[in-house]
């Protein structure tokens, strides 16, 4: 029970969890999926607010935002609903990116409430603590901005909101990078920079498979993604094993 409680506490004290409704909507929204995406993100936002004794701003903002999207989707006429199916993804991503930038400008980065759960109070006003939260919050803003731009390219340039690259692969890559950076940057001591590549390397193989299945690029490119993913994954695992062995010997 204590292990489960500890795991649950770590989960709730992560800014990644606070971002989860926005991440889910970014990856799920699209043609014929607007209502499902909004309702799923709203349910997740409600769960976060209910579980936490004192909800933080990010979670309350998610609850309000996705409640509005859900209600609008329920009452919107067909033309408006079609517009939302196309553009709600970009609206959501730009909204959370704007909230992140505004929170830094207000000297209250979105990640601070979560970081304070992990750091003793005497360090809350240290420059390093603030700098880490500013950097991580800006990285999240950049990730959602990349996701919004990718979606806009799919809608405006390619005229295909469900394009594999712009609707999923690029957006997923940006958000996974932000997730990994959130864990990597504040760590003491900070792991090697190459460890940031591990989640992305893990994404290369399924990315190559999806490209092959959906014929989203030349076959040689898809096979190349898989091969590079396998080679890099083996190399990184070997480096991690060596580092662990060196740590034990010390």
């Amino acid at each position: 029970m204590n292990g489960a409680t500890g795991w649950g506490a770590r989960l709730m004290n992560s800014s990644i969890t606070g971002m989860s409704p926005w991440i889910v909507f970014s990856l799920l929204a699209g043609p014929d999926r607007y209502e499902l995406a909004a309702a799923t993100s709203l349910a997740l936002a409600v769960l976060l607010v209910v579980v936490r004794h004192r909800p933080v701003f990010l979670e309350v903002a998610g609850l309000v935002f996705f409640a509005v999207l859900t209600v609008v989707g329920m009452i919107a006429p067909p033309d408006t609903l079609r517009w939302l199916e196309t553009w709600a993804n970009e609206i959501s991503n730009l909204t959370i990116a704007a909230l992140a930038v505004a929170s830094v400008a207000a000297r209250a980065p979105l990640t601070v409430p979560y970081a304070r759960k992990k750091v003793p109070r005497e360090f809350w006003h240290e420059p390093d603590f603030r700098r880490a939260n500013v950097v991580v919050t800006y990285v999240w803003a950049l990730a959602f901005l990349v996701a919004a731009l990718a979606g806009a390219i799919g809608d405006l340039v390619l005229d295909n909101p469900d394009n594999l690259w712009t609707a999923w692969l690029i957006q997923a890559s940006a958000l996974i990078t932000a997730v990994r950076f959130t864990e990597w940057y504040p760590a003491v001591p900070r792991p090697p920079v190459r460890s940031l590549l591990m989640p992305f390397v893990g994404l290369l193989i399924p990315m190559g498979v999806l490209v092959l299945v959906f014929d989203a690029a030349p076959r040689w490119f898809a096979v190349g993604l898989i091969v590079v993913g396998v080679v890099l994954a083996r190399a990184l695992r070997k480096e991690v094993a060596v580092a662990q062995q060196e740590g034990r010997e010390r």
Side-chain angles (χ1 to χ4, degrees):
M1 182 65 69
N2 291 337
T5 302
W7 179 86
R10 288 194 297 272
L11 184 65
M12 289 304 298
N13 293 338
S14 171
S15 57
I16 297 169
T17 301
M19 296 286 181
S20 59
W22 306 85
I23 295 172
V24 167
F25 190 84
S26 179
L27 299 178
L28 192 56
D32 299 322
R33 297 189 304 276
Y34 169 81
E35 292 163 298
L36 173 63
T40 302
S41 296
L42 175 60
L44 189 53
V46 170
L47 178 62
L48 294 180
V49 170
V50 169
V51 170
R52 190 180 297 280
H53 179 60
R54 293 182 178 177
V56 301
F57 172 76
L58 176 60
E59 294 161 1
V60 174
L63 176 63
V64 173
F65 183 80
F66 293 112
V68 171
L69 288 191
T70 300
V71 172
V72 170
M74 293 171 62
I75 64 176
D79 288 345
T80 302
L81 186 58
R82 282 193 294 272
W83 186 89
L84 286 170
E85 288 177 344
T86 301
W87 296 107
N89 189 0
E90 286 84 344
I91 293 171
S92 173
N93 288 331
L94 290 175
T95 297
I96 184 59
L99 286 175
V101 172
S103 73
V104 174
R107 303 181 64 82
L110 293 178
T111 59
V112 165
Y114 303 95
R116 285 179 173 174
K117 298 290 186 179
K118 306 174 184 177
V119 176
R121 182 181 292 270
E122 57 265 29
F123 295 107
W124 289 2
H125 300 291
E126 291 292 328
D128 287 345
F129 179 80
R130 171 171 169 75
R131 185 183 306 111
N133 282 282
V134 167
V135 171
V136 171
T137 300
Y138 271 141
V139 166
W140 276 109
L142 180 60
F144 281 108
L145 179 59
V146 169
L149 291 174
I153 290 173
D155 296 335
L156 292 173
V157 178
L158 303 179
D159 193 26
N160 180 9
D162 265 344
N163 178 272
L164 180 65
W165 288 100
T166 58
W168 286 297
L169 297 183
I170 294 175
Q171 295 191 43
S173 297
L175 296 173
I176 288 173
T177 300
V179 168
R180 177 56 183 157
F181 189 88
T182 299
E183 298 170 341
W184 173 83
Y185 187 78
V188 179
R190 187 173 299 154
V193 175
R194 61 180 177 274
S195 67
L196 277 172
L197 296 174
M198 293 185 69
F200 185 71
V201 168
L203 188 63
L204 288 177
I205 298 172
M207 184 183 294
V209 172
L210 287 173
V211 171
L212 276 175
V213 171
F214 291 98
D215 196 23
R219 185 174 295 272
W220 62 266
F221 181 77
V223 173
L225 287 176
I226 297 172
V227 171
V228 170
V230 170
V231 171
L232 289 179
R234 292 183 64 181
L236 286 174
R237 280 199 298 269
K238 184 177 180 180
E239 287 190 13
V240 169
V242 170
Q244 291 175 341
Q245 180 63 31
E246 292 176 349
R248 286 193 292 268
E249 292 175 354
R250 291 173 188 170

